Amino acid sequence: MSPARWQSALRRLRGGAEPSLTLGASPELEARLDELDAVVASVAPPLDEAIAEPWAPVIPQDRVDERAAQPLRAVYGELDMGERLTCPAAGITELVIESMADDARIRLAPESAEIRVSVENDGWEAAQLVVEGERARLTGGAAERVEVPAGIAIVVDEALGDVRVKGLDAALRFRSVEGDLRLEDVAGRVEVERLHSDALVDNVAALHLGACAGDLRFSGGELEAETIAGDARVERASAFRGGKVHGDLWVDRIDGDLDLGVVHGDARLNAVTGAARLGLVAGDLRVSSVAGGLTAGQVHGDAQLEGPFPGDGYTVTANGDVDLRLAAEDDVRLSVRALGRIRSNLSLIPNADGTPTFTSTLGEGKTPVTIMCNGDLRIDAAGRGEPKRGWEKRWGSGGDPFSELSGLGDRIRQQVSASLAAAGINPETGEFNINIGSGKVRGGRGRGPMPEPPRPPTPPRPPTPPQGARPSTSSEQMAVLKMLEEGRITTEEADALLRALGA
């Protein structure tokens, strides 16, 4: 205790510096006070000789060196304008926010010279901005609005709801975001470890997304996503690398490479400057204008590939059908294999190994294109006329082996009808017309007596029809035999007609 505090305590014990009551009426109390004066005088100097300031504590040298190595620490805990904390931004390169409130905002304030944070107190601890060296940390409250000058990176431990970030020029990192995340015009790299909802990213230099429980829509620079539970739509990027997309994938205009492991839905790629690599596509695949080459290891659905194909190579394996459309300027060497039918307006040459594999060359054949599918394959080369209507035979290029039999029944019916008509028999009704003199008599079975025609010679007995064969009418057999007798048809033709009639 300082001498001044000793004297103050003594005055309070005596009743004040100028007591208004006389204490002499109590000799015992007066004697006790004298003893106390002697004790105070022995431990503290008189008031007029007291030291104004307390002595500085003696600190060992090792403690002095330890304190010098620690950064300077400042605490800004007074709220400005009711709900806002501020601190000077000079010398600060990183702002750490422990918690952000729902519907929080982060934006760049390039004209400001201080960090401004609007907070929502949690009721347990007062909000403070603690500055230690080059780092400032917000503790004791949830940030609602954050404004930082240029060049300050931001780290958010936990965002309790939706977050919107606009115009930052430094790095940004989120460990966990419970709501939606919207990023706009961010020049630095953004890292998000866990996102529990959707992400809308517009004009961001680089994004690394660990796990996204919703959909992703991205435009900007480099994109790296480990897992996307919903759909992924990339409208513009310099590169795209990813692990899994559990929904559909839609990509339009990538200036670099695309490398993706698994797409559980459909995949559509358009205008990819670099190489595109897809490990597995559980749905359908549609590709157009992929300049750097394509590798699709396994497509469970159908695939549609549209040129031009100027890359190093294109390989697609599909369980369904494949539609390949070549551009007029393509210079490719085709190697195709299909378990279904193949339709092509290019001449296909079968391999000599006996497998249903065909090759063809367009131009000089600089770019290899390999297609394997379990369904049908259609190849349409621009400038080569309409695609062939027939299907290429899988084991040869001579056409469908059953193509000659496709109209055999019609041709037999036409031949029989013509032969019966020539014999004077109507093939539809079974009636026959007989010329007598200059007139023509029309008759038919079951129509009453008719003029008896000249009796022809007795024909040979027709062969016995096989068991189960359809019996033909006697008039049709007679007409065939009559044509044979008159020499209008050969024996082989008569045999074929009688077999066609079931005789």
Side-chain angles (χ1 to χ4, degrees), residues 31-257:
R32 183 60 179 166
L33 291 176
D34 292 339
E35 294 176 1
L36 185 59
D37 288 339
V39 173
V40 172
S42 63
V43 297
L47 185 60
D48 54 355
E49 299 179 4
I51 302 175
E53 295 295 333
W55 293 302
V58 178
I59 303 176
Q61 185 62 34
D62 56 348
R63 295 290 303 278
V64 174
D65 297 339
E66 181 182 351
R67 289 190 177 185
Q70 295 179 355
L72 297 178
R73 186 174 188 271
V75 178
Y76 299 85
E78 295 182 0
L79 294 177
D80 182 20
M81 297 178 61
E83 296 182 351
R84 188 171 65 174
L85 294 173
T86 61
C87 72
I92 297 177
T93 60
E94 184 181 71
L95 172 62
V96 179
I97 301 175
E98 295 182 352
S99 179
M100 296 201 74
D102 188 13
D103 196 21
R105 299 288 189 272
I106 301 176
R107 75 177 187 92
L108 178 68
E111 73 286 351
S112 177
E114 59 183 9
I115 298 174
R116 297 190 290 264
V117 181
S118 298
V119 298
E120 176 184 298
N121 285 308
D122 55 13
W124 294 95
E125 181 181 358
Q128 293 180 339
L129 272 174
V130 180
V131 178
E132 296 180 350
E134 298 181 351
R135 175 181 296 178
R137 175 182 291 272
L138 174 67
T139 62
E144 294 180 329
R145 301 290 184 272
V146 178
E147 298 178 1
V148 294
I152 297 181
I154 297 178
V155 177
V156 180
D157 292 340
E158 181 183 20
L160 303 179
D162 299 339
V163 179
R164 181 173 181 178
V165 182
K166 183 176 181 180
L168 291 186
D169 62 347
L172 175 65
R173 181 178 180 184
F174 290 92
R175 291 189 173 92
S176 176
V177 179
E178 297 293 333
D180 298 335
L181 176 62
R182 182 171 182 181
L183 306 174
E184 183 178 356
D185 300 330
V186 179
R189 177 180 174 84
V190 180
E191 295 185 12
V192 183
E193 295 183 10
R194 295 182 304 277
L195 176 61
H196 296 270
S197 192
D198 301 332
L200 178 58
V201 182
D202 185 16
N203 193 24
V204 173
L207 172 64
H208 174 83
L209 186 59
C212 176
D215 300 332
L216 169 66
R217 183 171 179 177
F218 178 89
S219 69
E222 295 184 1
L223 171 61
E224 183 176 359
E226 297 178 7
T227 302
I228 301 174
D231 300 332
R233 183 183 181 98
V234 181
E235 297 182 355
R236 176 177 55 86
S238 60
F240 182 16
R241 295 183 300 275
K244 294 181 181 180
V245 176
H246 290 273
D248 297 332
L249 172 66
W250 191 92
V251 173
D252 187 12
R253 213 185 91 186
I254 293 185
D255 297 331
D257 296 339

Side-chain angles (χ1 to χ4, degrees), residues 91 125 127 175-176 180 219-220 260 295 322 332 339 349 365 377 415 436 447:
E125 181 181 358
R175 291 189 173 92
S176 176
D180 298 335
S219 69
L260 196 59
T295 301
V322 175
V332 299
L339 298 183
I349 302 174
L377 172 61
Q415 186 175 358
I436 301 179
R447 297 200 175 196

Side-chain angles (χ1 to χ4, degrees), residues 164-443:
R164 181 173 181 178
V165 182
K166 183 176 181 180
L168 291 186
D169 62 347
L172 175 65
R173 181 178 180 184
F174 290 92
R175 291 189 173 92
S176 176
V177 179
E178 297 293 333
D180 298 335
L181 176 62
R182 182 171 182 181
L183 306 174
E184 183 178 356
D185 300 330
V186 179
R189 177 180 174 84
V190 180
E191 295 185 12
V192 183
E193 295 183 10
R194 295 182 304 277
L195 176 61
H196 296 270
S197 192
D198 301 332
L200 178 58
V201 182
D202 185 16
N203 193 24
V204 173
L207 172 64
H208 174 83
L209 186 59
C212 176
D215 300 332
L216 169 66
R217 183 171 179 177
F218 178 89
S219 69
E222 295 184 1
L223 171 61
E224 183 176 359
E226 297 178 7
T227 302
I228 301 174
D231 300 332
R233 183 183 181 98
V234 181
E235 297 182 355
R236 176 177 55 86
S238 60
F240 182 16
R241 295 183 300 275
K244 294 181 181 180
V245 176
H246 290 273
D248 297 332
L249 172 66
W250 191 92
V251 173
D252 187 12
R253 213 185 91 186
I254 293 185
D255 297 331
D257 296 339
L258 183 149
D259 194 347
L260 196 59
V262 178
V263 179
H264 288 279
D266 299 332
R268 179 178 179 181
L269 311 181
N270 179 53
V272 179
T273 303
R277 291 176 291 272
L278 298 174
L280 171 66
V281 178
D284 298 332
L285 172 64
R286 183 176 180 181
V287 176
S288 60
S289 300
V290 177
L294 170 68
T295 301
Q298 187 66 50
V299 180
H300 285 187
D302 301 332
Q304 179 178 334
L305 312 176
E306 185 174 352
F309 300 101
D312 295 335
Y314 299 82
T315 302
V316 175
T317 302
N319 287 337
D321 301 334
V322 175
D323 188 357
L324 176 63
R325 301 178 182 180
L326 301 173
E329 65 271 19
D330 280 333
D331 190 353
V332 299
R333 182 177 69 258
L334 293 179
S335 177
V336 299
R337 178 174 180 175
L339 298 183
R341 296 176 294 180
I342 301 177
R343 184 170 61 181
S344 171
N345 60 358
L346 290 176
S347 297
L348 299 178
I349 302 174
N351 282 3
D353 56 3
T355 61
T357 304
F358 302 86
T359 59
S360 182
T361 301
L362 188 62
E364 298 181 1
K366 295 181 179 179
T367 302
V369 176
T370 304
I371 305 296
M372 292 177 287
C373 66
N374 293 334
D376 298 335
L377 172 61
R378 177 184 177 184
I379 303 174
D380 184 7
R384 297 297 177 115
E386 293 297 328
K388 294 182 179 179
R389 294 185 178 275
W391 294 94
E392 291 286 352
K393 186 173 62 175
R394 290 179 296 173
W395 54 87
S397 58
D400 192 345
F402 302 102
S403 60
E404 296 182 356
L405 302 178
S406 60
L408 182 60
D410 293 335
R411 290 197 300 271
I412 291 178
R413 284 191 295 270
Q414 293 174 3
Q415 186 175 358
V416 171
S417 299
S419 301
L420 294 176
I425 300 175
N426 190 333
E428 296 181 358
T429 62
E431 300 176 351
F432 55 88
N433 300 321
I434 301 175
N435 293 328
I436 301 179
S438 60
K440 182 180 293 186
V441 179
R442 184 178 178 219

